[in-house]
């Protein structure tokens, strides 16, 4: 069959072509009638398209967008708060992403082990002398002109103990190479800032040397897309459905880090549970349980061949925020909790929530200001358990003092004069543990005086102190301040607080639009 004949046959078989094809022997009157019918059909079609376009525009106008900014120093709990928002209002996406946190949790575990080994090494080198750059120094006292120096330690390590530590260090040395591999996997090789910014989708691989060791994996703007792509060889089986119901044997992938972790699992447990090691950590004031990404009490579970991160695991995982991470919650995405949509009861159509999480380290705070004039609410997190700790980037600055200075800058900023403030006095669970262990707040905050050293009294003290700063420094006395004592890794308690914050923000939004 020729091409012409084939084309004619194909056209004849097309129903639409047959309908539009002029009738054989069509008269001029019939042709005119047909053209008029086609013109009318096109007019109706165009009118329908225009109506759909208008409805789309009107729907877009009806949809409000509420922007919330999360601020606070590094490790204050901002990213965990963002995870809680996602868990409450986009639970399906949270469940889908959970398996992708596995390499990050592995890295957190490995770094905890490396930190212990470093502390032991320092103790071996000079366990009677003052270390000018201790890993966990005593926190400077707030309100005291001169900084207190850490007293000389007497760790009392015997030659036999040194030999035992050398043996277990050798057994755990593969973890250091694994750390480099995980850093390479989770880092951008073209990033020259020394910070990792996204999850590499390539397979696990060994990197030359130890260039990655000691760096901190950071959370960049495209982290969720990148995390979702990572799965090793078997992870695609977790792309849909509940992570808790799926079981995949990760050991079937020879590149998976589970092999190294399982070989080292017993030695990791021996190291962590050794009484001598615990004694050294206590004397060095290295409270491992207070660090983000603490999984040393769950080693066997974490290194299981079928391990999938739980909700609590993901909430505890440490991934440093670098730059600005934004997350949008849309009611059309199906995020619900107890039947309540994120915008239910607003009376103002559908509401999109855009939440910004920005880096809290000192070298990241310059990116905060551009968001100040474009948000409806600001959530500031102050970790009140950190009153006896110092900044990682400056060991002469008390973390609580740094939070208060940041808070002063926030409440006095004129760009935020019409932005309602929500203050999370966070990490109350760690504060309670410290107080129960006998640590005195007045040792580090002289202004506390002789008040009772219990959680209720200290909680009221911090609430009144932060509220007083807002009252005396705000450029807008009419601005609302909402203060909550929180532990954002506690999902049940945080759910109530977030719902309360949501209602407050929506109420204020309605006031602004004069609908209330």
């Amino acid at each position: 069959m020729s091409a012409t004949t084939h084309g004619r046959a194909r056209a004849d078989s097309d129903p639409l072509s047959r309908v539009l094809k002029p009738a054989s022997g069509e008269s001029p009157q019939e042709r005119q009638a047909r053209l008029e019918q086609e013109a009318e059909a096109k007019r109706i079609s165009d009118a329908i398209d225009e109506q759909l376009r208008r409805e789309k525009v009107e729907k877009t106008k009806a949809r409000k967008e509420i922007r919330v900014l999360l601020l606070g120093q590094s490790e204050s709990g901002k990213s965990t708060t963002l995870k809680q928002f996602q868990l409450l209002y986009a639970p399906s996406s949270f469940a889908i992403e959970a398996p992708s946190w596995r390499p990050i949790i592995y890295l957190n575990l490995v770094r905890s082990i490396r930190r212990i080994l470093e502390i032991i090494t320092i103790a071996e080198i000079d366990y009677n002398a003052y270390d000018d750059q201790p890993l966990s120094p005593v926190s400077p006292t707030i309100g005291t002109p001169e900084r207190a120096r850490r007293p000389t330690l007497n760790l009392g390590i015997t030659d036999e103990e040194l030999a035992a530590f050398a043996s277990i260090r050798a057994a755990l040395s593969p973890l250091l190479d694994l750390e480099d591999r995980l850093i390479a996997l989770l880092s951008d090789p073209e990033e020259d800032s020394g910070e990792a910014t996204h999850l590499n989708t390539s397979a696990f691989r060994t990197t030359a040397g130890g260039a990655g060791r000691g760096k901190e994996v950071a959370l960049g703007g495209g982290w969720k897309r990148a995390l979702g792509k990572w799965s090793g060889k078997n992870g695609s089986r977790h792309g849909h459905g509940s992570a808790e119901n799926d079981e995949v044997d990760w050991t079937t992938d020879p590149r998976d880090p589970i092999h190294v972790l399982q070989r080292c699992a017993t030695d990791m447990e021996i190291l962590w549970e050794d009484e001598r090691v615990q004694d050294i950590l206590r004397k060095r004031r290295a409270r491992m349980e207070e660090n983000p990404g603490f999984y040393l009490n769950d080693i066997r579970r974490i290194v299981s061949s079928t391990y999938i991160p739980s909700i609590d695991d993901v909430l505890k995982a440490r991934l440093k925020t670098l730059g600005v991470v934004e997350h949008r919650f849309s009611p059309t995405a199906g995020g619900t909790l107890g039947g309540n949509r994120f915008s239910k009861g607003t009376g103002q159509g559908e509401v999109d929530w855009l939440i910004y999480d920005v880096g809290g380290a000192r070298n990241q705070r310059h990116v905060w200001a551009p968001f100040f004039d474009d948000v409806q609410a600001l959530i500031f997190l102050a970790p009140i358990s950190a009153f006896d700790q110092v900044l990682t980037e400056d060991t002469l600055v008390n973390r609580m003092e740094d939070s208060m200075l940041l808070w002063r800058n926030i409440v006095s900023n004129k760009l935020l004069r019409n932005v309602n403030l929500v203050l999370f006095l966070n990490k109350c669970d760690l504060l309670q543990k410290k107080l129960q262990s006998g640590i005195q707040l007045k040792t580090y905050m002289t202004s506390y005086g002789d008040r009772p050293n219990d959680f209720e009294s200290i909680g009221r003290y911090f609430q009144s102190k932060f509220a007083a700063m807002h009252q005396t420094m705000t450029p807008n006395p009419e601005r609302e301040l909402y203060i909550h004592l929180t532990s954002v890794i506690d999902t049940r308690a945080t759910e109530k607080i977030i719902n309360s914050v949501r209602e407050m923000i929506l109420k204020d939004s309605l006031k602004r639009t004069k609908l209330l």
Side-chain angles (χ1 to χ4, degrees):
M1 185 187 312
S2 68
T4 303
T5 304
H6 179 76
R8 185 181 304 114
R10 183 174 58 188
D12 291 341
S13 65
D14 182 359
L16 183 61
S17 298
R18 291 199 303 269
V19 171
L20 297 178
K21 182 179 179 181
S24 177
E26 181 181 52
S27 68
Q29 294 81 3
E30 292 172 335
R31 179 176 183 277
Q32 181 63 28
R34 176 175 60 80
L35 292 177
E36 291 177 355
Q37 289 177 352
E38 291 176 0
E40 178 63 14
K42 185 177 185 306
R43 185 190 66 78
I44 294 174
S45 176
D46 290 344
I48 293 174
D49 290 342
E50 177 62 18
Q51 179 64 25
L52 291 174
R53 187 191 68 79
R54 289 178 180 176
E55 290 177 357
K56 183 177 181 180
V57 170
E58 291 174 0
K59 185 177 181 180
T60 301
K61 289 180 179 180
R63 180 188 296 276
K64 301 294 188 297
E65 183 176 85
I66 294 179
R67 294 172 297 279
V68 180
L69 185 61
L70 297 177
L71 293 184
Q73 64 184 207
S74 183
E75 299 185 13
S76 60
K78 299 186 302 299
S79 296
T80 305
T81 302
L82 181 61
K83 292 176 195 174
Q84 289 283 16
F85 270 97
Q86 183 187 12
L87 177 61
L88 293 173
Y89 301 112
S92 58
S93 64
F94 188 96
I96 290 173
E97 290 167 4
S100 298
W101 285 88
R102 192 168 62 95
I104 298 165
I105 291 169
Y106 287 162
L107 180 60
N108 288 172
L109 176 60
V110 170
R111 285 195 156 169
S112 293
I113 295 296
R114 176 175 62 80
R115 180 172 172 81
I116 294 175
L117 293 175
E118 287 178 343
I119 293 172
I120 294 174
T121 299
I122 291 176
E124 291 175 349
I125 293 173
D126 191 354
Y127 53 80
N128 285 315
Y130 176 80
D131 177 13
D132 287 334
Q133 291 184 334
L135 288 175
S136 296
V138 168
S139 176
T141 302
I142 300 177
T144 302
E146 296 183 2
R147 304 298 189 186
R149 288 171 62 85
R150 180 169 59 83
T152 298
L153 301 178
N154 183 2
L155 299 177
I157 301 177
T158 66
D159 291 340
E160 291 77 11
E161 290 170 338
L162 290 177
F165 290 149
S167 174
I168 198 167
R169 182 186 297 107
L172 293 173
S173 61
L175 294 180
L176 302 182
D177 292 330
L178 177 59
E179 181 183 8
D180 290 340
R181 293 171 57 199
L182 290 168
I183 288 288
L185 178 74
L186 296 164
S187 301
D188 183 351
E190 298 181 357
E191 177 66 39
D192 59 1
S193 67
E195 295 280 3
T197 57
H198 74 279
L199 180 62
N200 196 312
T201 57
S202 61
F204 287 106
R205 62 189 184 280
T206 302
T207 57
R213 196 166 299 153
K215 292 182 182 178
E216 183 163 20
V217 172
L219 186 66
W223 72 283
K224 286 189 177 297
R225 290 187 298 275
L227 279 173
K229 294 177 182 177
W230 183 87
S231 60
K233 183 175 290 186
N234 303 300
S236 59
R237 294 172 63 180
H238 293 280
H240 303 281
S242 171
E244 295 182 357
N245 295 328
D246 289 340
E247 282 198 3
V248 171
D249 185 354
W250 301 107
T251 59
T252 60
D253 186 346
R255 304 167 299 174
D256 199 282
I258 194 66
H259 300 285
V260 176
L261 291 170
Q262 288 184 342
R263 288 197 299 270
C264 295
T266 299
D267 291 309
M268 285 192 287
E269 288 179 324
I270 291 174
L271 178 71
W272 173 238
E273 296 171 1
D274 191 290
E275 292 183 2
R276 297 163 300 179
V277 171
Q278 290 295 326
D279 186 53
I280 290 173
L281 295 176
R282 281 192 297 269
K283 291 177 178 178
R284 298 287 302 190
R285 300 179 184 270
R287 295 184 286 267
M288 302 297 295
E289 296 90 340
E290 296 180 13
N291 295 332
F294 174 76
Y295 301 99
L296 289 173
N297 289 335
D298 301 286
I299 292 175
R300 284 293 167 183
R301 182 174 62 85
I302 298 296
V303 304
S304 167
S305 299
T306 57
Y307 168 67
I308 297 295
S310 67
I311 289 174
D312 288 341
D313 291 340
V314 175
L315 291 175
K316 290 193 301 182
R318 168 62 176 164
L319 188 62
K320 183 180 180 181
T321 303
L322 182 63
V324 179
V325 179
E326 69 174 51
H327 195 101
R328 182 180 294 274
F329 298 97
S330 174
T332 58
T336 62
L337 182 68
N340 293 321
R341 289 191 180 275
F342 207 26
S343 59
K344 183 178 179 181
T346 65
Q348 55 175 348
E350 295 180 340
V351 177
D352 282 345
W353 293 70
L354 193 60
I355 301 179
Y356 300 100
D357 174 20
V358 298
R362 280 188 166 182
N363 62 355
Q364 290 290 306
R365 295 173 186 175
H366 64 279
V367 304
W368 293 7
F371 293 88
F372 286 177
D373 61 350
D374 196 35
V375 293
Q376 281 75 45
L378 187 151
I379 300 176
F380 185 90
L381 289 99
I384 56 177
S385 66
F387 65 83
D388 61 341
Q389 297 173 265
V390 295
L391 294 178
T392 302
E393 57 268 42
D394 188 346
T395 56
L396 292 179
V397 177
N398 181 286
R399 286 192 63 189
M400 197 69 243
E401 185 176 24
D402 180 66
S403 278
M404 290 180 178
L405 289 173
L406 284 176
W407 179 245
R408 289 191 186 101
N409 291 334
I410 293 298
V411 300
S412 61
N413 194 299
K414 294 182 179 179
L415 291 176
L416 298 170
R417 60 178 291 112
N418 295 318
V419 176
N420 283 341
L421 302 180
V422 181
L423 174 63
F424 282 7
L425 298 176
N426 195 32
K427 302 196 175 183
C428 289
D429 55 328
L430 296 180
L431 174 63
Q432 288 177 305
K433 290 179 181 179
K434 284 186 177 181
L435 300 178
Q436 291 168 1
S437 70
I439 298 176
Q440 299 286 316
L441 176 62
K442 66 180 181 181
T443 303
Y444 303 91
M445 298 189 68
T446 56
S447 63
Y448 189 66
D450 293 325
R451 296 179 179 90
N453 198 62
D454 59 74
F455 175 74
E456 290 74 17
S457 301
I458 290 176
R460 288 194 298 270
Y461 169 76
F462 280 123
Q463 284 178 302
S464 61
K465 195 169 186 67
F466 278 86
M469 283 189 279
H470 174 261
Q471 185 176 0
T472 57
M473 298 178 184
T474 179
N476 179 10
E478 302 300 321
R479 179 173 59 186
E480 298 283 354
L481 169 63
Y482 304 86
I483 303 178
H484 299 273
L485 293 168
T486 62
S487 173
V488 294
I489 62 171
D490 184 336
T491 299
R492 182 169 296 182
T494 305
E495 171 190 337
K496 297 178 181 178
I497 293 172
I498 288 179
N499 281 327
S500 174
V501 170
R502 181 199 68 173
E503 295 302 323
M504 176 275 294
I505 294 173
L506 288 172
K507 182 178 179 180
D508 180 69
S509 178
L510 290 171
K511 285 182 178 179
R512 290 170 184 266
T513 56
K514 298 181 180 180
L515 294 177
L516 184 65

